Amino acid sequence: MAALETEVVNVPGARLHVEVRGSGPLLLLVPGGASDAAVFEALAEQLAARYRVVSYDPRGISRSPLDGPPVDQRVEVQAEDALLLLDLHAVPGEPVRVLGSCAGALVALELLRRHPDRVDVVVAHEPPSMRLLPDAGAQLAFFEEVHRVYLREGAAAGMRRLASAFGGRPAPDLPEVRDNTTFFLAHVMRPTTAFLPDLAALARLASRITPAGGEESRGYLIHRPVAALAAALRRDLVLFPGGHSGYAKHPEAFARQLSALLDALPGREAAGPVAAEADGPTVAEAAGPTVAEADGPTVAEAAPCDS
């Protein structure tokens, strides 16, 4: 078992619980939704033989308290939190890899967009940006409905309604330090699903981005945005073992595939300067191929979660 170092990092408005394992090139793991660093523990153990793995509880989650009252979380702010962790742990000029899952994938993409000189590659595992979809209005309305159910009937009812995004399955039992469901439903879910990545900017960095998803979550609403992202950036969609949380359920197989993928991806130097990278589609242009490549059930077609 790799030695574990923990620390508390002060960021504007919060204090982050951070975990560091292993040695080698820096690999930042960014959790999403209601998850904390514990969700990556088994994966980080597998990866620590080859990488210096940094994982953390996002602000407002588990051991990373906010300095003030709970507020809606913004992807842009969390990207700057991630940058501060790079400032602390990355050697100047070293290649930095980032794996983000769910909301963490949006944070990773935004970190790359804002600071392309600091990040070599991003593996974006099922970012839940509903605004990438051609039926974005209907899907965003679904998440508003989940929020209303939560306010009216409580967190358990909200999560039951949310399950249709996962094909009607209940939320998986993940290794989290604390139950962050209420904070997630109140302050993370809606701003995350409504966040639209800057596709024009990311297209210029597309050679450094790998859209990724779960083998078992194909066809679910939660998978559709990453298929749309892959189409918009003209990148292959890489499928990993398991579903939306395959990194927690199949850490050994997930780590093997991730390590092989990271070895094969070009970094900043191999990809060339940012300005020289190929232009990609704008948001408007991306809407065309997305429909064909991101087919999957809408909320109305997905298996009901409360029947």
Side-chain angles (χ1 to χ4, degrees), residues 7-46:
E7 61 189 24
V8 176
V9 175
N10 292 317
V11 296
R15 289 167 289 148
L16 303 183
H17 170 86
V18 181
E19 300 183 356
V20 185
R21 296 174 175 84
S23 60
L26 182 63
L27 172 58
L28 179 66
L29 305 181
V30 188
S35 293
D36 53 40
V39 81
F40 285 132
E41 183 175 345
L43 179 67
E45 284 290 336
Q46 295 292 321

Side-chain angles (χ1 to χ4, degrees), residues 257-303:
Q257 184 171 340
L258 179 62
S259 294
L261 177 65
L262 293 176
D263 286 346
L265 289 175
R268 281 169 286 180
E269 294 182 5
V274 170
E277 295 187 16
D279 282 340
T282 64
V283 174
E285 294 169 334
T290 298
V291 179
E293 300 199 24
D295 264 354
T298 64
V299 169
E301 295 166 339

Side-chain angles (χ1 to χ4, degrees), residues 9 15 37 107 112 116 118 137 155 194 206 225 233-234 236 244 250:
V9 175
R15 289 167 289 148
V107 173
L112 175 64
R118 302 297 303 278
L233 298 182
R234 301 179 185 141
D236 290 337
H244 189 62
H250 308 282

Side-chain angles (χ1 to χ4, degrees), residues 149-235:
V149 171
Y150 150 68
L151 291 177
R152 186 174 63 246
E153 303 175 33
M159 293 303 290
R160 286 194 299 271
R161 186 67 191 96
L162 180 62
S164 65
F166 301 85
R169 298 181 178 182
D173 184 18
L174 297 176
E176 296 159 350
V177 172
R178 296 178 190 164
D179 183 354
N180 301 292
T181 302
T182 297
F183 184 79
F184 164 72
L185 291 170
H187 299 295
V188 178
M189 179 186 66
R190 290 186 302 159
T192 297
T193 53
F195 180 80
L196 179 65
D198 186 337
L199 292 180
L202 292 177
R204 293 190 289 272
L205 302 161
S207 64
R208 294 197 242 160
I209 299 170
T210 296
E215 286 271 6
E216 297 174 11
S217 50
R218 286 181 293 173
Y220 298 162
L221 172 59
I222 199 65
H223 182 91
R224 289 181 61 207
V226 76
L229 178 70
L233 298 182
R234 301 179 185 141
R235 299 287 289 167

